[in-house]
Amino acid sequence: MSHRFYTALAAAPTVIPDIKAVSPKHGDLLRGRSPLTVAKELTNLGAPCLSVVTEAANFGGSPTLLQQISASVSVPLLRKDFIETSDDLAETLDLGASAVLLIAATLTQPTLGMLYEQALHLGLEPLVEVHTPEEMTFAAALGPRLLGINNRDILNLERDGAGPGLTQTLAPTRPPDALLISESGILSPADVRRARLAGADAVLVGTALWQASDMAVAYRELCATMQHYG
């Protein structure tokens, strides 16, 4: 099995840009920009991997976008969506992703365990996302190489205003061998610092980049902070 996404994160403390068209809280993020063009620009800036949101109803994504980005960049891609079935995993592989998000909050424990094992079997790297201590306990039992802490509540479509505080709370209970990604609510270099000092190996940032007056400058600032505390 290829571990391209894991390898990209393991090389150095990482900022993962999130290619996302719509925020349920903030609305349109593209403002006329092409997500495909932005994905290429971010990889040119040195992004070692990308996250691509394919959920359409709330986040404005599409499987087609993931396929287009996969054909246009060489870095490994994470598919972010509400993955629920084996067919979703097969589609994810066909679209060109290296990794797939599995959200503990939206799956029963048996289904999460099944999808985790099936993703491994297919050659996909499962990123198990948690938001509560109970979810962390179950996720840890799976022995994931990639673990995400969503600082915001995905069941409320991340409309709450939480920052990296949840990463600080849950990080001490992470599986010791897992790479930890702090997701959502990372809005500034100060947030990156908090997540990194809490033990995050990477931060996943979407809205803050898309809302920045200069995305390239914002991305470089977040990366510099992540590496400073490396």
Side-chain angles (χ1 to χ4, degrees):
M1 171 182 169
S2 170
H3 295 295
R4 292 184 64 220
F5 199 85
Y6 177 94
T7 300
L9 298 187
T14 302
V15 177
I16 308 168
D18 197 27
I19 306 302
K20 179 170 66 173
V22 172
S23 161
K25 184 176 181 179
H26 298 284
D28 174 42
L29 297 176
L30 297 182
R31 302 198 304 271
R33 292 169 289 186
S34 161
L36 177 58
T37 299
V38 171
K40 293 177 183 177
E41 291 172 349
L42 286 163
T43 58
N44 289 338
L45 287 170
C49 55
L50 297 173
S51 164
V52 182
V53 178
T54 60
E55 197 275 340
N58 301 291
F59 294 93
S62 73
T64 299
L65 176 60
L66 174 57
Q67 191 171 45
Q68 291 172 340
I69 293 175
S70 176
S72 301
V73 304
S74 59
V75 301
L77 305 176
L78 166 71
R79 182 186 185 184
K80 282 183 66 181
D81 207 326
F82 296 115
I83 301 298
E84 297 178 337
T85 68
S86 301
D87 288 344
D88 292 336
L89 294 177
E91 179 187 58
T92 300
L93 191 64
D94 289 343
L95 294 172
S98 299
V100 63
L101 185 69
L102 299 179
I103 305 172
T106 63
L107 299 167
T108 66
Q109 290 187 3
T111 300
L112 176 59
M114 177 196 69
L115 292 175
Y116 178 85
E117 294 299 331
Q118 289 185 354
L120 293 176
H121 180 73
L122 288 172
L124 283 169
E125 298 173 83
L127 167 57
V128 181
E129 175 184 294
V130 303
H131 183 69
T132 68
E134 294 76 19
E135 290 168 5
M136 177 67 85
T137 298
F138 180 73
L142 295 174
R145 289 167 57 90
L146 296 170
L147 179 74
I149 295 174
N150 193 334
N151 297 302
R152 293 181 171 172
D153 183 1
I154 191 62
L155 298 180
N156 190 33
L157 298 177
E158 300 175 348
R159 292 189 178 95
D160 52 309
L166 190 65
T167 295
Q168 294 174 304
T169 299
L170 293 183
T173 63
R174 67 190 280 189
D177 296 329
L179 285 178
L180 179 63
I181 303 169
S182 182
E183 310 169 33
S184 299
I186 307 295
L187 305 179
S188 66
D191 289 334
V192 170
R193 176 182 178 275
R194 289 176 65 195
R196 178 61 182 153
L197 291 179
D201 300 291
V203 293
L204 193 151
V205 184
T207 300
L209 290 177
W210 289 96
Q211 291 187 323
S213 57
D214 188 319
M215 184 182 289
V217 170
Y219 180 67
R220 290 191 184 104
E221 288 179 346
L222 297 179
C223 288
T225 302
M226 195 70 179
Q227 292 159 11
H228 178 75
Y229 293 98

